[in-house]
Amino acid sequence: GSAPRPPEPEPAPAPPAAPAAKILVVDDEPLVRAMLEDLLGAMGYETRGAADGPSGVRAVLEWAPDVVLLDIGMPGLSGVGALQAIAALGPVTKVIMVSGTTDLEVSRRALAYGAFDYVTKPVDFEYLGRSVETALMMKRLEEGR
């Protein structure tokens, strides 16, 4: 007869799934905010929303998102104003500006203040998805992960 076969080795436990990247959507228009949160959630990201600049800045402090989608044209603290606070408080957080305006001066100023990218409304979802992925890749490289 043949020798008994050794038992099969136990499969190694699967590594825990990497936590989903966290994306904060700051927009004063509830429908736009909800649409962007739904889209990003469907892409597998953990999302939260904020209705204005000050609550967006607070959310960066409390929740530490990886990426912030930041509307430029908001009453009170504008997106560019919030961008400066976010850059100071969360220097590794990547900010993608979202705007209904195609004003080149505003986009230049946002990029000069440290925005990672600039997307105009209506949002091109395919472009936004690539921009978010690129921002996350850059963030991981900067953090050495």
Side-chain angles (χ1 to χ4, degrees):
S2 60
R5 292 177 50 198
E8 291 288 318
E10 290 280 323
K22 300 192 302 189
I23 301 181
L24 175 66
V25 179
V26 184
D27 198 305
D28 60 317
E29 295 177 48
L31 291 175
V32 172
R33 189 170 63 245
M35 184 234 355
L36 290 171
E37 283 188 75
D38 290 348
L39 170 79
L40 294 162
M43 295 167 88
Y45 299 115
E46 185 181 342
T47 65
R48 283 197 188 169
D52 55 36
S55 59
V57 171
R58 270 194 308 280
V60 167
L61 279 173
E62 295 165 3
W63 192 52
D66 298 296
V67 175
V68 176
L69 296 187
L70 184 58
D71 182 26
I72 286 184
M74 294 185 289
L77 181 62
S78 72
V80 174
L83 170 63
Q84 293 172 289
I86 291 168
L89 297 168
V92 296
T93 301
K94 298 295 178 200
V95 180
I96 298 171
M97 305 305 288
V98 181
S99 178
T101 178
T102 53
D103 182 338
L104 280 178
E105 190 47 45
V106 172
S107 58
R108 278 194 197 106
R109 198 171 34 215
L111 294 168
Y113 286 137
F116 178 77
D117 201 355
Y118 186 94
V119 178
T120 55
K121 295 176 185 174
V123 175
D124 175 334
F125 299 133
E126 196 173 307
Y127 179 85
L128 179 64
R130 285 194 308 267
S131 183
V132 167
E133 278 301 308
T134 305
L136 290 168
M137 210 178 325
M138 290 300 295
K139 183 176 188 286
R140 287 184 200 112
L141 284 171
E142 289 169 11
E143 292 176 332
R145 290 195 280 149

